[in-house]
Amino acid sequence: MTDLFSGRLAILGLGYIGLPTAAALATRGIEVIGVDINPDIVAAVSQGKVPFIEPDLAVAVSGAVAMGRLSASSETPEADAYIIAVPTPFNGDHTANLSYVQAAAEQLAPRLKPGSIVILESTSPPGTTEQVSRWIGALRPDLKMPHDTDGIAEIYVAHCPERVLPGRIMIEIITNDRVVGGVTPRCAQRAASIYRVFAQGEILLTDAASAEMAKLVENAYRDVNIAFANELSMISESLHLDVWEVIRLANRHPRVEILKPGPGVGGHCIPVDPWFIIAAAPTQSRLLRIAREVNDDKPHHVAKQVIAKASRFHSPTVACLGLTFKANVDDIRESPAIEVVELIAKGLPDTEILVVDPYADRVPQALAAYSNLRMERTVEAVERADIVVLLVEHDQFKALGRTRLGGKVVYDTRGAWN
Ligand code: SAJ
C-alpha cells in the first residue's frame, strides 16, 4: 500500500513556493495552515487572494480557502507536518544567509511531538537540513532527533527542494519529479508521503546532502549554459556576426542545444545558488565562478553598447523595454534589466530614457533617483525613441510590428524580433 500523508500541515513562508504548495495540498483535501511574518500576505491569503501573479494560482488558492482547507496565520500552529519554504538569500560575501531557515526551525520546534515531519524546501547549502535537525534538537532535548540517534528517531527531518519554473509553477509542481532527501532513510520515506498526495512525477529518495546538492547543481548547470550563450553573444558582436543565426545553425546539430543570450541572469535562484556550491568547494569551483562572472558582467556590456550607440545622436531618446527578470512574470528580483536601465541612466544623465513594462506600474526603487527616466506605454515609448533596447521578451513586445521599429536603432538583447 502506498503511504499517503493525511494529517494537518503547516507551511512556513507563503511566497512563490510556499503558497503554490499549500494550494496543491489543500485542494487535495489536506488541512493546510500557511504561516507568514508579513501581515499583508496573511490577510490576502485568508481572503482567498494571491499577492503575486502566477497562472492558475489565484483560482487554486481561492478554491482551497472557500473549501475551508487552507487558512493563513502569523502564528506557527500545532501540526503533524511542517514545510519550511522561506528565502535563503546570500550575504555580501556570497555565503548563504540561513537566518530565515533558523528562525522557522525555532518557531516550529516548541510545537513538535513524536511522529512530526519537518521538511526544508528552501534551496540550501549541503548540510543545512541536518543543521535544522540540530537547531530543533537544541531547543527540544526531550525528542530523539534523526541526526543524533542510532535507533529510531521521533522526528522526521528531510529536504525536498522546489524545482518549479516561475510562470509554470502550478503545472510543474504536479508533473515534475521530486527529490526527497532524508537525514535518515526513514525520514525520506515519511516526507515522501506528503508529496505523494499531489505529485504525479516520480519521487526519488536519497540522503539530505545529496538532495541539497542536486538542487544547487540544477541551477548551476543552467547558469553555466546561459553564460556560454552570453559569452557567445559578446564574441559574435565583436566579430560582427548575428549570434541568433549562429545559434540557430549550431543547434541543428543533434547533440547541441545552446540556450539564449540575454541582458544577464536574474531571479532569486540562478544568480544565487551557484555561490552556495562555490562557497562549499572554492578551489574546485572554477567554471562555476567564471560563469557567474560572465553573467554578472552582461548588464554592463549591454549598457556600454547602448551608450556607444547614443553617442552617435545629438540628443537621443532611449526606450528600454522590460524590467522584470524574465518574460511574462511580474517578478523584478535580481533583474538584469533594471541594472541595465540604471547603468544607462547613470551613463547618459542628459538623455531622456523611457521605461516600459506591462507587468510594472511604477518606477522600481532602484531607479527612483534618476530624474532623466520615466515610465511610458509601449507604443508611445517606441514612437518617441531614437534607440529601442529590448531587455525582456514579454509577449506584448514580441507582438510589436516591424513597421513600428522602422528607422530606429534597435538593440534586441533577447532575439525577440529575429
Ligand atoms: N535566461 C537566459 N537565457 C536562457 C534562459 C534563461 O538569459 O536561455 C535568464 C532569464 O531571462 C532569467 C534567468 O536566466 O533572467 C533565470 O530564468 P530561468 O527561466 O532559467 O529560471 P528561473 O530562475 O525562473 O527558475 C529556475 C529553474 N531552474 C532550472 O531550470 C534549472 C526552476 O526550475 C527552479 O525551480 C528555480 O530556478 C528555483 O527556484 O530554483
Side-chain angles (χ1 to χ4, degrees):
M1 196 189 80
T2 313
D3 186 16
L4 269 193
F5 177 80
S6 62
R8 189 174 203 243
L9 185 140
I11 299 192
L12 280 64
L14 288 177
Y16 288 81
I17 301 305
L19 190 51
T21 307
L25 283 160
T27 48
R28 280 158 189 81
I30 302 289
E31 183 192 350
V32 181
I33 304 108
V35 183
D36 206 286
I37 52 171
N38 182 334
D40 295 339
I41 293 180
V42 171
V45 174
S46 298
Q47 292 165 35
K49 295 189 185 133
V50 175
F52 52 89
I53 297 175
E54 179 62 38
D56 302 330
L57 178 62
V59 66
V61 168
S62 65
V65 171
M67 280 159 63
R69 294 290 181 193
L70 175 60
S71 59
S73 165
S74 329
E75 301 294 325
T76 305
E78 280 213 357
D80 304 296
Y82 294 87
I83 294 179
I84 301 174
V86 297
T88 44
F90 58 33
N91 299 311
D93 62 355
H94 290 136
T95 56
N97 173 352
L98 298 177
S99 59
Y100 298 104
V101 175
Q102 182 170 4
E106 290 174 355
Q107 271 165 42
L108 63 85
R111 308 266 181 234
L112 296 176
K113 49 189 189 301
S116 299
I117 305 170
V118 178
I119 297 171
L120 177 65
E121 277 217 21
S122 313
T123 305
S124 305
T128 310
T129 308
E130 208 172 305
Q131 178 65 57
V132 166
S133 182
R134 279 200 292 274
W135 279 324
I136 294 171
L139 292 172
R140 294 293 303 271
D142 56 310
L143 292 171
K144 266 193 225 146
M145 297 303 293
H147 69 275
D148 72 350
T149 175
D150 292 337
I152 295 182
E154 288 175 313
I155 303 296
Y156 304 107
V157 184
H159 183 52
C160 181
E162 61 84 9
R163 308 164 101 187
V164 286
L165 192 73
R168 283 178 50 82
I169 291 179
M170 296 312 283
I171 298 168
E172 292 203 357
I173 208 166
I174 305 296
T175 58
N176 284 2
D177 291 344
R178 296 300 296 233
V179 174
V180 181
V183 173
T184 65
R186 178 90 185 121
C187 292
Q189 289 284 1
R190 294 298 301 132
S193 72
I194 294 174
Y195 294 94
R196 284 200 192 100
V197 170
F198 64 91
Q200 288 168 7
E202 212 175 309
I203 297 187
L204 308 160
L205 304 189
T206 184
D207 61 279
S210 296
E212 287 159 340
M213 191 62 176
K215 162 70 201 206
L216 298 176
V217 164
E218 289 162 17
N219 280 352
Y221 171 85
R222 195 151 170 87
D223 196 44
V224 169
N225 280 282
I226 299 170
F228 181 79
N230 276 335
E231 185 157 296
L232 212 54
S233 74
M234 293 186 276
I235 293 170
S236 301
E237 234 169 62
S238 78
L239 300 177
H240 307 290
L241 289 168
D242 176 357
V243 69
W244 306 102
E245 179 66 355
V246 173
I247 291 176
R248 184 180 75 82
L249 298 170
N251 277 350
R252 295 297 291 266
H253 184 284
R255 283 174 296 284
V256 174
E257 206 179 331
I258 301 169
L259 292 180
K260 293 185 189 145
V265 171
H268 55 298
C269 307
I270 295 191
V272 176
D273 300 355
W275 288 116
F276 296 173
I277 302 178
I278 298 168
T283 317
Q284 293 77 11
S285 307
R286 289 184 297 164
L287 180 61
L288 269 58
R289 191 190 298 273
I290 297 270
R292 278 282 71 244
E293 283 168 14
V294 169
N295 286 334
D296 276 352
D297 183 51
K298 193 70 197 292
H300 295 265
H301 173 83
V302 170
K304 245 187 246 162
Q305 298 299 312
V306 175
I307 292 167
K309 288 178 198 306
S311 70
R312 290 183 226 139
F313 289 81
H314 171 55
S315 174
T317 295
V318 179
C320 293
L321 273 50
L323 285 174
T324 58
F325 88 94
K326 66 176 192 175
N328 305 321
V329 299
D330 67 346
D331 191 344
I332 58 168
R333 287 176 295 175
E334 316 280 336
S335 172
I338 292 183
E339 197 179 347
V340 171
V341 175
E342 182 169 13
L343 289 166
I344 298 173
K346 221 185 256 173
L348 297 171
D350 301 322
T351 297
E352 179 181 40
I353 297 164
L354 306 174
V355 183
V356 186
D357 197 307
Y359 290 89
D361 50 5
R362 67 184 100 105
V363 175
Q365 193 60 37
L367 303 176
Y370 297 94
S371 54
N372 55 332
L373 172 161
R374 68 180 166 81
M375 297 291 286
E376 185 51 278
R377 285 193 304 213
T378 309
V379 171
E380 284 80 351
V382 170
E383 251 163 32
R384 292 211 35 213
D386 302 294
I387 303 174
V388 178
V389 187
L390 190 287
L391 296 168
V392 186
E393 73 279 34
H394 291 313
D395 289 344
Q396 191 187 96
F397 300 151
K398 286 203 322 207
L400 271 174
R402 280 199 168 270
T403 42
R404 285 214 188 270
L405 299 165
K408 320 267 175 198
V409 172
V410 174
Y411 191 52
D412 176 1
T413 68
R414 300 274 190 179
W417 295 318
N418 260 66

